Amino acid sequence: MKNGNILIIGGYGEVGGKIAKLLLQSYPNRIWIAGRNIEKAKDFCVQHKNLVRSLQLDVSEKVHPEQLENVALVIMCLEQKDTAFAQLCLNEGIIYIDITASYTFLKKLEALHSLAVQKHSTAIFSVGMAPGLTNLMAMHAARQLSSLEKMHISILLGAGDTHGTAAILWILQQLNKPFSSYNNHKVANFTNKRTVKFKKIGKRSVYQFNFSDQHTLTKHFPSIPIVTRLGFDVEPLNKFVSFLQKSRIACLLKFNGIQILLASLIQKIKIGSDVCGIQIEAIGTKHHKEVSFTLDFLDRDESLVTAKVAAFIANEFLNNKHPAGAYHIEELFTLDTFQTQFDMSLQ
């Protein structure tokens, strides 16, 4: 089955399309682009000399096993409400990769571990930049200390980057969804500012945000405060979004029409750059002394970073054996594995 096809759900989107292009270099005529909009899928195939194929597939509806015939691996690039499709993949012995950043959904995927083991298949998630590289960097930073007492994960996104509509809508939707932090206190997204000096960028404001990494990492570090924050490279934009949250104007974003309108404006109005970055600060002890360890990552085009991570993992699973089960990225890989993909110094 490892010689079967690679099915990318949402493969004509911002991230999915870049994953397809990367994998096409090694797997021509084995990539299938799937989604509800068959015309977009067909257009993508034409643009790539028909070395990829199109498939109309709506994972929000029931998918039948025969529709996945000869599929070895699935990469999911869409947000889902339930795990029915993931369960189908595992039942059919198909490797399942998911790039979602939603912790609510990731918890549902975690629950598929027993099924995956039983069916001798594998699901891997927290795949991308955040979550993904953030998880791997956090684990690496923690290993530099004898004991971990606190961790700050800071994510920087370029306001001028070409973000997909789904990614922008996800961020906008979070502004109206408080979440439980490490101490079980309810936190509003884009609050609790912290100033971080990003490598080659300078100081930027970052705000607490409900990325899944801070929650899933507690599996490895129970009772340790781990906080993820988000900011943009344009400081006035950080202040503006913070103002929206404090003034409660953000409540207007609960309406789908306003979300879609604002997402469209964000994609059209280009300010800032396409930079993306991560800084991990691990605070604890080493040799009986209080110390902090900082690890930085800087690149461009956040969606391409996510695509590189997903494509690398797909290639690893197609060419190497991995244990059956459902795993977050840091449970099967280390940051060292990705040094060849990204320019980073693991001091």
Side-chain angles (χ1 to χ4, degrees):
M1 201 58 180
K2 293 292 179 71
N3 293 320
N5 296 315
I6 301 165
L7 181 64
I8 306 176
I9 311 292
Y12 44 75
E14 189 68 32
V15 178
K18 289 172 182 175
I19 295 172
K21 290 175 190 176
L22 291 170
L23 289 174
L24 190 57
Q25 300 169 27
S26 302
Y27 305 100
N29 300 308
R30 287 179 58 187
I31 311 292
W32 285 76
I33 301 299
R36 286 182 294 186
N37 193 324
I38 190 62
E39 293 308 317
K40 285 187 177 180
K42 286 179 178 178
D43 288 345
F44 185 92
C45 296
V46 170
Q47 290 168 22
H48 295 85
K49 302 177 181 178
N50 290 313
L51 293 173
V52 295
R53 299 183 184 182
S54 60
L55 177 67
Q56 188 165 28
L57 197 66
D58 186 351
V59 295
S60 66
E61 303 290 339
K62 184 175 177 61
V63 178
H64 299 281
E66 54 267 25
Q67 292 175 273
L68 301 181
E69 192 174 352
N70 296 322
V71 172
L73 181 145
V74 164
I75 304 175
M76 177 57 70
C77 302
L78 302 177
E79 291 293 322
Q80 302 172 88
K81 292 182 179 179
D82 60 56
T83 61
F85 182 76
Q87 290 180 59
L88 173 61
C89 291
L90 297 176
N91 273 316
E92 296 299 311
I94 297 169
I95 299 162
Y96 179 84
I97 299 173
D98 201 310
I99 69 168
T100 185
S102 169
Y103 179 57
T104 303
F105 190 73
L106 289 177
K107 284 194 293 184
K108 295 178 181 179
L109 290 176
E110 287 175 353
L112 300 181
H113 182 75
S114 296
L115 172 65
V117 171
Q118 179 188 345
K119 298 296 181 178
H120 306 288
S121 191
T122 307
I124 182 166
F125 29 88
S126 295
V127 171
M129 189 180 104
L133 285 182
T134 51
N135 301 51
L136 298 171
M137 290 173 66
M139 296 296 290
H140 181 87
R143 282 194 286 268
Q144 311 311 307
L145 307 177
S146 303
S147 66
L148 179 67
E149 295 175 0
K150 185 185 296 184
M151 181 176 288
H152 296 287
I153 302 172
S154 301
I155 299 164
L156 183 74
L157 296 181
D161 202 350
T162 309
H163 301 291
T165 302
I168 295 171
L169 286 173
W170 183 81
I171 290 176
L172 293 176
Q173 288 161 3
Q174 300 311 304
L175 293 178
N176 281 303
K177 295 180 180 178
F179 66 97
S180 295
S181 65
Y182 63 89
N183 53 9
N184 288 322
H185 289 169
K186 283 290 183 183
V187 177
N189 280 292
F190 233 78
T191 59
N192 301 324
K193 185 180 85 167
R194 187 169 189 259
T195 301
V196 172
K197 187 175 182 180
F198 288 94
K199 180 181 178 182
K200 297 181 182 179
I201 298 296
K203 291 182 179 180
R204 293 294 186 276
S205 299
V206 290
Y207 302 81
Q208 205 164 344
F209 206 85
N210 193 22
F211 281 99
S212 63
D213 43 26
Q214 61 198 310
H215 305 297
T216 57
L217 287 168
T218 58
K219 293 172 63 176
H220 310 285
F221 310 107
S223 74
I224 300 296
I226 301 174
V227 177
T228 300
R229 290 180 171 86
L230 169 68
F232 300 97
D233 63 330
V234 178
E235 188 63 15
L237 178 59
N238 292 324
K239 292 177 180 178
F240 175 69
V241 178
S242 176
F243 165 75
L244 285 181
Q245 184 61 277
K246 288 177 183 176
S247 65
R248 302 299 180 188
I249 297 174
C251 67
L252 294 174
L253 294 174
K254 65 184 178 183
F255 299 107
N256 289 338
I258 294 178
Q259 288 178 15
I260 293 168
L261 177 62
L262 188 54
S264 177
L265 286 172
I266 290 170
Q267 288 175 310
K268 289 175 182 175
I269 301 171
K270 293 294 180 185
I271 56 172
S273 69
D274 66 347
V275 71
C276 59
I278 301 167
Q279 185 184 104
I280 306 290
E281 184 183 3
I283 300 166
T285 61
K286 187 171 185 177
H287 304 311
H288 308 292
K289 294 181 179 179
E290 290 188 8
V291 296
S292 68
F293 178 84
T294 301
L295 186 60
D296 288 286
F297 167 79
L298 188 70
D299 210 320
R300 296 195 173 276
D301 191 344
E302 179 269 332
S303 60
L304 181 58
V305 172
T306 289
K308 284 181 178 180
V309 175
F312 178 83
I313 287 177
N315 192 59
E316 279 287 304
F317 272 89
L318 289 168
N319 291 284
N320 300 291
K321 219 171 179 183
H322 290 280
Y327 302 97
H328 290 279
I329 191 171
E330 78 279 359
E331 295 176 297
L332 295 182
F333 295 93
T334 65
L335 188 59
D336 305 67
T337 317
F338 288 85
Q339 271 194 281
T340 56
Q341 303 298 304
F342 302 103
D343 179 21
M344 60 175 73
S345 175
L346 309 186
Q347 300 174 3

